[in-house]
Amino acid sequence: MSEEVSLFDQRLEKLAKLRELGADPYAIERFEQSGTAAEILDAFQENKDVKFAGRLVSFRLMGKAAFGHLSDGDDKIQAYFKADDLGELGWEVVKLLDIGDHVGVEGYLFVTKTGERSIHVRTLAPLSKALHALPLGKEKDGERWYSLSDTEVRYRHRHLDLIANPEARAMLLNRMRIVAAVRRFMDRRGYLEVETPLLQLEAGGAAARPFITHYNAYDIEVKLRISLELYLKRIICGDVPKVYEIGRVFRNEGVSNRHNPEFTLLEFYEAYANLEDMMALVEEMFRSVAQDVFGSTKVVTDGVEIDFGPAWPRVDLLSSICEKAGVSEDAFGSLDSLKSALGGGVVVNPVNGKEINLAKEHNLGGLIEKLLEVFVEETLIQPTFIVGYPIETSPLAKKDPNRPGFTRRFEGYVRGREVCNAFSEINDPLDQRERFADQLAQREAGDDEAHVMDEDFLFALESGMPPTGGCGIGIDRMAMMLTGADSLREIMLFPMMRPD
RNA sequence: GAGUCGGUAGCUCAGUCGGUAGAGCAACGCCCUUUUAAGGCGUGGGUCCUGGGUUCGAGUCCCAGCCGACUCACCA
């Protein structure tokens, strides 16, 4: 018999004994408390009666007395169990406790010899039994021993991570607070939160391959959404002028540090607004969320201070490439002129070693974005807007009337990474139909991530959409940036894992 | 998809040149009524990721595979 089974069996026996003693942990439904651990310690008064419940995270049995810490997840209080004060039955229960059990205690506050504010327990009630040994390390003065560090176990059994690793816990909880702060911000600004279909006949609004599933009732193939965009704009067409959605989207791609097949996207659209309005809103949102969650507009991650206080510089995309890649502005006339200006063959950025194989670049806009990626992106540490994206890679963004081949689109960058993508939306249905047609052509040329024609969306546009500004923000990446997480998986509760 | 590193007790890890599988913590038993990485004495606990191979003998060497981390690629 393996150790795990016998350990489990030992715990089951303890559970049975507790039940015999009339202390069935699973029989109790509620336990009223005087407050959280922090609240109780804040309002500490010697001899004051308190009730508190939490998980037993440490336990020291010494003959006829015992000490243990009860954690409410965030903070903990030491409990002192003394045989004389608990009675025979109570003491029997104490001896059956294990680290990991939830326990409710009632008693009075006191200070131990060593100065720790504690609860002198008069009565206790087991509220759950930990049937598995929990990987709770020992701790002193902030140092910890023997905790849980195996990333695989941490991700697969996230509850253990939340119990055992305070840093991981703080990061994940901050992510939730960031989402809540974003929602508050949008609500305050008068945006209405909406919900649009996850199951769609054609997944549009982004360049990505969808997940495909089957709907039994209609016996049809449906796809999981890859973005929120097209349905949200259909709501704008219905004259609901300010809408947003925070929702899960699904892209059938690989897993990495910065990618998960399902992730959380925020998109918002505002009628009668344009990309400048979106920039102002993004600036304010980051400022507000940083202030809300971290109490400051300045966030330090990896020793780098990012300040969301000031306005973000607006930098023209082509100028940024000219500066960082050393290409002159007049080289951007055509794909061929740009290629020859780059010298042909393979272009290498000596700073980071990233390269572009020019032979694989078949359109001007695609190459321009590639240059941005290889030469510019990682230099954008402080919040920056890059403005003016090529039309080929922006099939939903309004054309810039003053610059043929470019659109009224921008992206925001922080810590060298893209954090948002926004534009003045196309509201000319004829233009949009042409763009879809171009995408369709690319699709037929073998690009299986190009957009498909969406007639229902076009019908809505044809019914009239006011000029509209729209923006998309990857919430997970935003959380990474704000918390300093170096992997997307650290700020998602349950990242995708291969079945073990 | 490629490369690198890793997978040994519940947890964190060690394991030399190929020679019967180790430590701390956790668990179990005994002692201990203000401890806090409590302490003392004692005990039990292993699919060494899986499957092949080499060898008298494999945790260790070789091959294939699985899972993970990291880097790159893919990917907004």
Side-chain angles (χ1 to χ4, degrees), chain A residues 118 139 234 273 279 324 346 385 391 437 485 496:
Chain A
S118 310
E139 187 182 339
R234 284 163 69 170
M279 287 187 209
K324 304 291 183 193
V346 175
F385 291 125
I391 193 164
M496 186 69 182

Side-chain angles (χ1 to χ4, degrees), chain A residues 7-162:
Chain A
L7 239 168
F8 192 79
D9 286 348
Q10 283 171 11
R11 299 277 174 113
L12 283 178
E13 274 175 40
K14 287 186 178 180
L15 173 62
K17 282 182 193 160
L18 284 172
R19 284 177 162 158
E20 280 169 33
L21 292 171
D24 182 350
Y26 301 122
I28 296 177
E29 284 186 46
R30 67 191 300 273
F31 189 90
E32 202 168 311
Q33 303 179 61
S34 309
T36 64
E39 286 165 353
I40 291 172
L41 291 175
D42 274 354
F44 184 87
Q45 262 186 314
E46 199 126 14
N47 295 318
K48 187 168 78 175
D49 284 351
V50 292
K51 294 181 96 176
F52 180 66
R55 191 186 289 274
L56 191 66
V57 294
S58 69
F59 192 63
R60 297 170 291 282
L61 180 64
M62 296 168 304
K64 292 285 173 55
F67 284 92
H69 280 94
L70 293 181
S71 164
D72 61 18
D74 296 315
D75 303 282
K76 51 197 178 185
I77 302 185
Q78 181 168 255
Y80 174 53
F81 305 92
K82 190 176 174 184
D84 294 345
D85 297 331
L86 291 166
E88 199 175 322
L89 187 70
W91 185 244
E92 284 303 306
V93 171
V94 168
K95 285 195 287 184
L96 290 168
L97 291 180
D98 287 301
I99 287 176
D101 293 355
H102 287 99
V103 188
V105 300
E106 176 275 319
Y108 59 91
L109 295 172
F110 78 112
V111 180
T112 64
K113 269 184 188 170
T114 50
E116 181 163 351
R117 293 168 298 176
S118 310
I119 301 173
H120 191 127
V121 178
R122 277 191 294 252
T123 60
L124 77 158
L127 301 175
S128 89
K129 187 88 196 133
L131 298 175
H132 294 290
L134 266 38
L136 277 162
K138 297 202 171 185
E139 187 182 339
K140 190 189 186 182
D141 301 330
E143 254 192 296
R144 285 197 314 285
W145 290 262
Y146 322 116
S147 191
L148 177 70
S149 67
D150 186 323
T151 18
E152 184 171 354
V153 177
R154 290 183 46 229
Y155 294 161
R156 286 191 196 278
H157 305 291
R158 187 65 99 173
H159 67 285
L160 297 177
D161 197 29
L162 288 168

Side-chain angles (χ1 to χ4, degrees), chain A residues 58 86 94 120 307 325 349 365 367 393 430 453 460 475:
Chain A
S58 69
L86 291 166
V94 168
H120 191 127
D307 190 355
N349 179 354
L367 179 53
T393 56
L430 306 178
M453 191 65 74
I475 289 289

Side-chain angles (χ1 to χ4, degrees), chain A residues 262-380:
Chain A
E262 53 178 314
F263 62 98
T264 302
L265 198 54
L266 159 70
E267 288 193 24
F268 49 90
Y269 293 83
E270 179 169 345
Y272 310 107
N274 69 358
L275 86 171
E276 274 85 16
D277 298 306
M278 294 297 103
M279 287 187 209
L281 199 72
V282 169
E283 282 172 345
E284 261 190 77
M285 180 189 296
F286 276 85
R287 198 178 294 142
S288 161
V289 170
Q291 187 71 49
D292 261 27
V293 177
F294 301 99
S296 166
T297 61
K298 294 178 180 167
V299 176
V300 180
T301 52
D302 297 337
V304 181
E305 184 183 271
I306 307 290
D307 190 355
F308 294 103
W312 305 16
R314 276 72 166 157
V315 178
D316 178 69
L317 188 153
L318 284 194
S319 320
S320 73
I321 293 175
C322 294
E323 186 194 330
K324 304 291 183 193
V327 185
S328 84
E329 185 106 25
D330 42 336
F332 293 98
S334 71
L335 179 61
D336 288 338
S337 69
L338 181 53
K339 280 189 179 179
S340 59
L342 290 165
V346 175
V347 182
V348 182
N349 179 354
V351 177
N352 56 23
K354 290 185 180 174
E355 43 187 62
I356 305 172
N357 186 349
L358 292 180
K360 286 187 184 167
E361 300 301 325
H362 300 299
N363 69 66
L364 180 60
L367 179 53
I368 289 173
E369 278 217 31
K370 201 85 178 178
L371 286 168
L372 173 74
E373 208 176 286
V374 169
F375 286 94
V376 184
E377 270 192 4
E378 70 176 35
T379 69
L380 306 172

